[in-house]
Amino acid sequence: MEQGLLLSFIQNSALLLAIVLVYDAFPRSYKHKKEAISRVGIGLLVSAITIAVMLMPWEYSEGVFFDSRTVILSICGMFFGGIATLVAVVVSAVYRLVEGGATVVPGIGAIVTSGLLGYLWGKYRKGSLSNVGFSELFSFGLICNSIILLWGVSLPADLAIKLLKQVTIPFLVIFPITTALLGMLLSRRIEIKRDQKIKLQDHLLFKSHFQSGNMGIAITDEDHQWIKVNPNLCEMLNYSESELTNFSWPKLMHTQDYFIYKHHFSQMLEGEINEFELDVRLKAKDETIVYTHMTVACQRAQAKVELVITGLLNRTYQKQAELEKNASQEQLRLVLASSELGFWDWDITEDAMERNEHSAAILGCDLESLNRSPKLWINAIHVDDRVAVLKSIDAHLNGETEQHKVEYRIYNQSGELLWLLDTGKVMSHDDNGNPLRMCGIYTDITEQKRVEESLTLAASVYNNSSEAMSVQDEQGFIININAAFTSITGYSEAEVKHKNIKMLQCNRNSRNAYRQMNNAVEELGRWQGEVWLRRKNGEEFVVWLTLNALVDDNGSSKRRVALFSDITDKKQAEQIIWKQANYDPLTGLPNRRMLLDYLATEIIKADNREQHFALMFLDLDYFKEVNDTLGHDMGDRLLSEAAKRLKACIRETDVVARLGGDEFTVVLSGITDIKGVDKVAKHILARIAEPFNLGEETAYISASIGITLYPDDAATIEGMLKHADQAMYAAKGEGRNRFHYFTPSMQRDAKHRMRLIQDLRHAIAEQEFELYYQPIVGLQQNKCLKAEALIRWRHPTRGLVSPIEFISVAEETGLIVEIGNWVFQQAARQSAIWRDRFGVEVQISINKSPVQFRDEGECFDTWVSLLKKLNLTNNNICVEITEGLLLDGNEAISATLERYRESGIQVSLDDFGTGYSSLAYLKRFEIDFLKIDQSFTRNLDSQSNDFTLCEAIIVMAHKLGMKVIAEGVETEYQRKVLADAGCDYGQGYLFSRPLPSEEFEQRFIEVRLANTEVEKTDA
């Protein structure tokens, strides 16, 4: 191969790069009117490049020359389309014809062939030209130029053979490579343009959504620093953009939702996920809650998060609509429930029947069974009524009746027979008028049926009743009476008919009483009460009378019905019952009911006369011991004697009452000087303190008296009793055998306690509690392995409330059970989070009150289920109990502690050494840790008794297989002494105060992990 031939081909190939400029010179998108012109322009430019290449050929002989026109035209056919290729081929062929020479025909044939092959290849290949590869382009160039070489056959044989020997190798090596390189450049240009277009489309789409979409969008960095927010987010939260960028997600997001968000965000930062979605609540500027659906995605660079894009869809209206829908459904359910109507809904096409809960209640079965088995209802209908029910339904479905309405009997599951009124109507039809859905209601008319039966029996009851009855006109003239009337009054029907009822009146009733009776009947249509009447023989007797006015449709009273029965004997019995109801049978003193009536009267008298009176609340001290040791009979004798002594200490105008048990009250009326009250109180204390001779036994008791004054201390009976009771407990608290006046501070203390209980219930409902964690550090390794969870109450107005203030109240009210369950769940979840996030097993100790053991119920099973769910069965939780719990010796306590160990919960004995410490229960119960009370460690000295006790406790615990935790470690000296004594763990301010979970993990977990990495590196 001649050097000139190779150099000429290489020069020709270099010119081919101009084809890339042609590609960039014309846009890829055309309007229909200009498309043909643009294509022609491309063809002319390509033909110009082709002619330029043809001007620098390798000339074999005169009229015989070669160049890279075939590469240009084949690439033009592949990338620029039919019009441009046709123009380039025609112009190039004309130019080659003008050049002339021996190879004019093969030359023109090569031009046409290369353009045609390129066009056909580009048109019928699969896929975009932006994805064409080097091997495909090289193969195309090789095939195309091989075919073009065949045009050499048209030359004279000797010329063709010589010519092909020289040009075949460069033709099939340089030109295919040139074709592939040029095609790759154009393909890359197409790919770049496509990517730019996609990026432009994505940019425009994002910009459109960012500025005017229906989502709030925020762009932040990995540290939650705001970079950009869109107007929709500002509008959603009622903040300006400048205001909003001064906030961060923790400040805008609901606390509970942020905790979940932070967990997922941490996973995204660590590369576990690239995006996540949550339903979160945000706080708007006006403090309202905005319900949103949050989508969070990140942009990474070298696996590190650079940008975080957060999209927020406002779901507040949907949430409100959902709440309103639920409220509407609840209202419908309540209306149906309150109206006591059974509701049924029949899908006729599917033959599916649904009934409500009241329908199931009528039948006496559960709703699920009734709706699952519709035949339950049909089978429960009385056999004699079943056909009538089905006929009524068929008649309505066939359009014969306006509605389905039938009364029938039905047996409920208990076998009771009920009467129902069943009404229904077709609610929808198809296009052909066929019924699709039918709804109705069941009304229980059993009582109505009974009333009807009662009315049927009314006539016989009227004549056979033992109660006297009479029917009168509006003036009181008797129209009719029954037999009982004659039996009770002695008057026959003939003697009283058309006579006025006044003939039975008695002088024991005042005229005002008769006037009130008539007014009540005229205004209310009814009067009922006791009235004295006179029989025919003149005997007076008391009756219970009921008068009813029968009113017509116009509201006018036409008749009166009087019913009465002789209650003379009953009244005498009531007198006896009244005394039993109002007086204590043991002491003969007024009881609580009588006392309340007396106080009500005394208050009225004191108000009218502007006087004062005193109420004493008296409780016998040590009466329970007398009752338990000497027996109830002796206790009753003591109470009777105490009542006599109390009555002897007061005036005849004063009152002593027994409230019950050993509690008495004394009412001193018309007092003018408090000294008189003091005198009576001292006299009572002295008399009660005297010995009680109870047969062969002698008892000694005392009294505690609380005193309140009316109206100085209270203006109501309830207030006086409450204040006197509070004063009495104050007297007991001061040592008993004394009296104490009520003071406002007692009420304030009581109100404070009541308010604390109310706030505590609210705190439980609103979850106002927080858990702080105090590290429990290994003294031998100086590493934090454990932590104690300590509850804090963040009161909405008082701030953080100390557990010392509310735990005792929670135990007294039983609220400690709910609080304890919350603490356990939070601690367990926190331990799981630390394990999953940091790979560190941190045992968390929680305190459990003795009250929780007594009222544990199903809580333990719930605890165990939660531990299994969180995979925390390897001693991740430790329960701290007190010594007092073990002293009861209850087998249930031992069983519970054993269940703890079986479930992977360890047990720690708190404040050891401050109670009734006993080796017996340490051996009996399975205890994992002993906590030395801080009273021993506070003044720890190597020469002190506290050091000796601590050392003894440590040795004893280790011998029994327990580990020891020292509380209240505040100095380095205490830590060293305890460590030297072999103590396992320390807890106290030396290491840290109780910390929130985030600060705890930063100071102890993350630091520990960092130290571990350093140790590994050093090793």
Side-chain angles (χ1 to χ4, degrees):
M1 181 174 59
E2 295 183 6
Q3 184 176 1
L5 173 61
L6 180 62
L7 180 62
S8 177
F9 280 1
I10 292 175
Q11 289 175 344
N12 277 201
S13 299
L15 285 175
L16 298 181
L17 293 175
I19 205 74
V20 179
L21 299 178
V22 174
Y23 182 83
D24 289 334
F26 287 86
R28 245 50 55 197
S29 298
Y30 312 96
K31 295 183 179 179
H32 293 293
K33 295 181 179 179
K34 297 181 179 181
E35 181 176 359
I37 297 174
S38 299
R39 295 287 183 176
V40 170
I42 292 173
L44 292 174
L45 282 175
V46 172
S47 62
I49 295 172
T50 305
I51 292 170
V53 168
M54 294 168 66
L55 290 174
M56 295 183 295
W58 171 73
E59 191 169 359
Y60 177 74
S61 63
E62 184 178 356
V64 180
F65 46 84
F66 292 90
D67 50 58
S68 59
R69 77 191 79 162
T70 57
V71 174
I72 296 174
L73 294 175
S74 63
I75 289 296
C76 178
M78 182 182 295
F79 285 91
F80 296 140
I83 295 176
T85 305
L86 179 62
V87 171
V89 166
V90 170
V91 173
S92 301
V94 169
Y95 178 77
R96 181 67 187 89
L97 182 64
V98 171
E99 284 186 312
T103 59
V104 63
V105 173
I108 295 174
I111 290 172
V112 174
T113 301
S114 60
L116 181 62
L117 288 174
Y119 172 74
L120 294 175
W121 192 287
K123 181 177 179 64
Y124 292 105
R125 73 176 298 278
K126 294 182 179 180
S128 172
L129 288 173
S130 62
N131 298 323
V132 67
F134 182 87
S135 59
E136 180 186 346
L137 289 169
F138 182 83
S139 300
F140 165 71
L142 186 64
I143 294 171
C144 180
N145 286 284
S146 298
I147 295 173
I148 291 171
L149 283 176
L150 295 177
W151 281 101
V153 179
S154 63
L155 296 174
D158 57 342
L159 178 62
I161 293 171
K162 293 179 180 180
L163 189 62
L164 289 175
K165 284 183 179 180
Q166 282 199 305
V167 301
T168 298
I169 293 176
F171 220 77
L172 297 182
V173 174
I174 297 175
F175 282 6
I177 293 175
T178 305
T179 302
L181 293 176
L182 184 60
M184 288 297 294
L185 286 175
L186 291 175
S187 174
R188 178 59 181 161
R189 300 302 296 174
I190 294 174
E191 184 180 356
I192 292 172
K193 292 291 185 180
R194 182 197 65 188
D195 292 344
Q196 289 177 345
K197 183 176 180 181
I198 292 173
K199 288 182 179 179
L200 179 60
Q201 291 174 347
D202 291 343
H203 175 73
L204 292 175
L205 182 62
F206 177 77
K207 184 175 180 181
S208 173
H209 280 287
F210 189 83
Q211 295 295 335
S212 59
N214 61 349
M215 291 182 65
I217 302 175
I219 303 176
T220 62
D221 60 16
E222 62 176 344
D223 296 323
H224 291 133
Q225 296 297 318
W226 298 78
I227 298 174
K228 185 68 176 175
V229 296
N230 74 337
N232 199 25
L233 181 59
C234 298
E235 182 181 352
M236 187 186 302
L237 299 179
N238 296 326
Y239 286 106
S240 65
E241 183 174 352
S242 60
E243 290 175 333
L244 197 56
T245 51
N246 290 326
F247 286 90
S248 60
W249 287 128
K251 293 182 180 180
L252 291 173
M253 201 177 297
H254 192 278
T255 305
Q256 293 178 345
D257 296 345
Y258 178 70
F259 185 77
I260 301 173
Y261 165 83
K262 184 178 179 182
H263 178 67
H264 290 288
F265 191 81
S266 299
Q267 288 182 318
M268 189 170 71
L269 291 181
E270 293 171 2
E272 298 178 15
I273 57 175
N274 291 321
E275 60 182 23
F276 61 89
E277 297 185 25
L278 290 173
D279 287 330
V280 299
R281 292 163 288 180
L282 301 180
K283 291 175 281 190
K285 186 175 182 179
D286 57 1
E287 297 299 326
T288 58
I289 297 297
V290 179
Y291 295 89
T292 66
H293 181 75
M294 172 183 283
T295 302
V296 183
C298 67
Q299 178 179 323
R300 301 183 187 272
Q302 297 180 353
K304 182 180 180 182
V305 174
E306 283 191 336
L307 293 177
V308 178
I309 302 175
T310 303
L312 293 161
L313 185 62
N314 193 342
R315 297 185 67 251
T316 304
Y317 295 121
Q318 294 93 319
K319 191 72 174 180
Q320 292 174 347
E322 181 181 341
L323 294 174
E324 291 174 359
K325 178 182 177 183
N326 292 338
S328 176
Q329 293 176 344
E330 180 67 12
Q331 287 178 349
L332 176 60
R333 189 186 67 80
L334 291 174
V335 166
L336 290 173
S338 61
S339 61
E340 296 186 348
L341 295 175
F343 176 77
W344 53 271
D345 187 350
W346 181 23
D347 185 341
I348 300 174
T349 56
E350 299 292 334
D351 194 21
M353 179 77 77
E354 287 192 10
R355 296 179 173 88
N356 67 345
E357 293 183 358
H358 192 70
S359 301
I362 291 174
L363 199 59
C365 65
D366 62 276
L367 182 60
E368 183 180 356
S369 299
L370 180 59
N371 287 332
R372 188 174 61 249
S373 305
K375 289 187 177 180
L376 277 176
W377 190 274
I378 296 296
N379 295 335
I381 300 176
H382 195 284
V383 177
D384 296 340
D385 299 338
R386 199 173 298 168
V387 174
V389 174
L390 297 176
K391 283 185 176 180
S392 176
I393 294 175
D394 288 340
H396 180 60
L397 292 177
N398 294 330
E400 300 173 11
T401 57
E402 294 260 338
Q403 67 173 3
H404 156 65
K405 185 174 183 180
V406 64
E407 294 179 0
Y408 58 85
R409 293 161 293 177
I410 190 170
Y411 287 100
N412 62 18
Q413 297 291 311
S414 301
E416 182 182 3
L417 185 65
L418 304 176
W419 275 95
L420 297 182
L421 172 60
D422 188 356
T423 57
K425 195 170 185 179
V426 174
M427 305 304 296
S428 60
H429 298 79
D430 61 14
D431 295 338
N432 298 323
N434 298 317
L436 298 176
R437 183 184 179 192
M438 184 175 177
C439 300
I441 58 173
Y442 302 120
T443 305
D444 188 342
I445 59 171
T446 306
E447 191 62 31
Q448 178 182 331
K449 284 293 184 179
R450 290 172 181 167
V451 171
E452 291 176 0
E453 293 176 3
S454 299
L455 292 175
T456 305
L457 297 174
S460 60
V461 171
Y462 180 79
N463 291 315
N464 296 286
S465 174
S466 60
E467 190 173 18
M469 302 181 187
S470 67
V471 181
Q472 310 154 20
D473 61 16
E474 60 271 20
Q475 283 78 35
F477 289 98
I478 298 173
I479 298 174
N480 197 5
I481 63 171
N482 68 347
F485 186 95
T486 300
S487 175
I488 293 175
T489 64
Y491 289 103
S492 64
E493 183 176 0
E495 291 174 322
V496 298
K497 200 167 186 179
H498 305 304
K499 301 289 181 66
N500 199 289
I501 194 66
K502 293 180 180 179
M503 62 185 296
L504 301 179
Q505 288 182 357
C506 175
N507 293 332
R508 290 198 185 193
N509 305 311
S510 64
R511 292 184 179 180
N512 186 49
Y514 289 119
R515 191 180 303 112
Q516 292 178 353
M517 185 188 307
N518 288 326
N519 291 338
V521 173
E522 290 176 0
E523 294 176 6
L524 305 175
R526 179 181 177 85
W527 182 88
Q528 194 174 52
E530 294 179 3
V531 176
W532 283 91
L533 299 179
R534 187 176 61 248
R535 291 189 175 93
K536 181 179 178 180
N537 61 9
E539 179 185 353
E540 294 179 348
F541 63 104
V542 64
V543 299
W544 180 259
L545 173 63
T546 300
L547 287 176
N548 289 292
L550 301 181
V551 181
D552 59 15
D553 295 337
N554 298 323
S556 300
S557 176
K558 298 297 184 181
R559 295 286 185 271
R560 289 186 180 182
V561 177
L563 299 89
F564 59 87
S565 57
D566 188 349
I567 61 170
T568 306
D569 295 336
K570 180 181 177 182
K571 289 296 292 182
Q572 293 174 351
E574 283 181 354
Q575 284 295 113
I576 298 173
I577 295 172
W578 179 86
K579 186 174 181 180
Q580 293 174 345
N582 291 279
Y583 284 87
D584 177 42
L586 177 62
T587 62
L589 297 176
N591 60 11
R592 177 183 288 274
R593 174 185 290 182
M594 190 70 172
L595 173 67
L596 296 178
D597 292 341
Y598 180 79
L599 286 175
T601 304
E602 196 64 25
I603 287 175
I604 295 173
K605 285 167 57 179
D607 290 342
N608 292 336
R609 301 174 185 177
E610 297 184 357
Q611 292 181 342
H612 298 254
F613 70 88
L615 174 65
M616 293 183 176
F617 201 104
L618 183 144
D619 184 82
L620 300 181
D621 303 326
Y622 312 112
F623 172 75
K624 185 177 184 301
E625 287 77 358
V626 174
N627 212 28
D628 293 343
T629 56
L630 301 182
H632 292 287
D633 291 340
M634 291 301 178
D636 291 346
R637 288 180 62 178
L638 187 147
L639 291 173
S640 299
E641 178 62 26
K644 293 176 183 178
R645 294 184 186 185
L646 288 173
K647 290 180 68 175
C649 294
I650 62 173
R651 301 168 298 181
E652 292 185 1
T653 56
D654 300 328
V655 171
V656 178
R658 182 187 177 207
L659 297 183
D662 59 347
E663 294 179 341
F664 296 86
T665 56
V666 178
V667 181
L668 305 178
S669 60
I671 63 172
T672 58
D673 190 351
I674 196 173
K675 293 181 180 179
V677 180
D678 290 353
K679 183 179 179 180
V680 173
K682 292 176 181 177
H683 191 192
I684 291 174
L685 292 175
R687 288 301 311 276
I688 296 298
E690 294 175 2
F692 285 82
N693 296 318
L694 306 175
E696 297 178 356
E697 301 289 344
T698 301
Y700 295 89
I701 63 171
S702 61
S704 298
I705 303 174
I707 305 173
T708 185
L709 303 176
Y710 178 87
D712 307 77
D713 298 331
T716 63
I717 297 174
E718 294 80 3
M720 294 194 68
L721 290 171
K722 179 175 64 177
H723 292 170
D725 186 53
Q726 292 171 356
M728 185 270 291
Y729 276 105
K732 278 188 176 294
E734 292 181 359
R736 306 184 182 184
N737 193 27
R738 64 192 66 232
F739 62 89
H740 199 294
Y741 284 92
F742 170 78
T743 61
S745 62
M746 297 177 186
Q747 180 66 6
R748 286 196 299 271
D749 292 342
K751 286 184 177 180
H752 174 74
R753 187 175 184 277
M754 180 182 68
R755 172 57 63 185
L756 185 63
I757 294 173
Q758 293 175 349
D759 289 353
L760 202 54
R761 294 185 187 277
H762 183 268
I764 294 173
E766 298 298 324
Q767 295 189 357
E768 296 174 356
F769 299 108
E770 300 176 4
L771 282 188
Y772 279 49
Y773 300 88
Q774 187 173 31
I776 300 174
V777 178
L779 297 180
Q780 308 302 325
Q781 304 87 9
N782 197 25
K783 293 182 179 179
C784 177
L785 303 174
K786 296 160 57 65
E788 181 176 359
L790 300 170
I791 192 169
R792 297 291 185 266
W793 177 9
R794 189 168 295 280
H795 195 281
T797 58
R798 297 171 58 193
L800 280 179
V801 180
S802 171
I804 298 175
E805 185 174 347
F806 67 85
I807 288 298
S808 60
V809 176
E811 289 180 329
E812 293 174 14
T813 57
L815 297 176
I816 192 67
V817 176
E818 293 182 64
I819 295 174
N821 290 339
W822 181 87
V823 170
F824 178 85
Q825 293 173 9
Q826 293 297 111
R829 291 191 175 99
Q830 187 62 64
S831 179
I833 288 173
W834 283 339
R835 179 200 61 202
D836 297 340
R837 185 178 301 170
F838 301 105
V840 176
E841 299 282 354
V842 179
Q843 185 187 71
I844 299 179
S845 299
I846 62 172
N847 292 283
K848 185 163 184 179
S849 166
V851 178
Q852 291 177 261
F853 277 91
R854 292 196 298 267
D855 302 328
E856 189 167 36
E858 298 178 356
C859 294
F860 179 78
D861 295 333
T862 305
W863 288 14
V864 173
S865 298
L866 179 61
L867 291 178
K868 290 181 179 178
K869 180 180 178 182
L870 299 175
N871 196 20
L872 296 176
T873 57
N874 190 25
N875 299 329
N876 295 82
I877 299 297
C878 179
V879 173
E880 295 192 4
I881 62 176
T882 59
E883 294 177 334
L885 182 67
L886 303 183
L887 289 175
D888 294 340
N890 194 331
E891 291 296 331
I893 300 298
S894 178
T896 300
L897 295 180
E898 183 64 28
R899 291 176 68 193
Y900 281 169
R901 294 180 64 84
E902 292 174 355
S903 303
I905 301 175
Q906 291 191 317
V907 179
S908 177
L909 191 58
D910 199 8
D911 299 334
F912 183 78
T914 60
Y916 298 95
S917 305
S918 171
L919 292 176
Y921 64 68
L922 288 180
K923 291 168 57 180
R924 176 182 175 186
F925 296 100
E926 296 288 344
I927 305 297
D928 299 288
F929 300 95
L930 284 185
K931 296 192 78 173
I932 301 176
D933 187 69
Q934 58 185 344
S935 61
F936 293 103
T937 58
R938 186 179 295 115
N939 300 314
L940 195 63
D941 189 288
S942 61
Q943 303 301 322
S944 67
N945 291 332
D946 287 343
F947 172 76
T948 304
L949 286 172
C950 288
E951 191 174 34
I953 291 172
I954 293 170
V955 173
M956 175 197 67
H958 286 171
K959 290 293 184 180
L960 293 175
M962 306 175 197
K963 293 187 178 182
V964 181
I965 303 171
E967 294 183 297
V969 180
E970 299 181 354
T971 66
E972 181 61 30
Y973 174 76
Q974 293 171 350
R975 186 202 67 77
K976 185 177 183 305
V977 169
L978 289 167
D980 293 342
C983 186
D984 301 287
Y985 299 96
Q987 179 181 358
Y989 288 175
L990 174 64
F991 308 109
S992 173
R993 293 177 177 271
L995 302 172
S997 59
E998 295 85 356
E999 189 172 348
F1000 180 89
E1001 65 186 39
Q1002 291 172 3
R1003 289 186 56 184
F1004 293 97
I1005 300 179
E1006 293 179 359
V1007 169
R1008 180 188 175 191
L1009 291 175
N1011 292 337
T1012 303
E1013 291 298 325
V1014 171
E1015 292 174 0
K1016 290 181 179 179
T1017 303
D1018 294 340

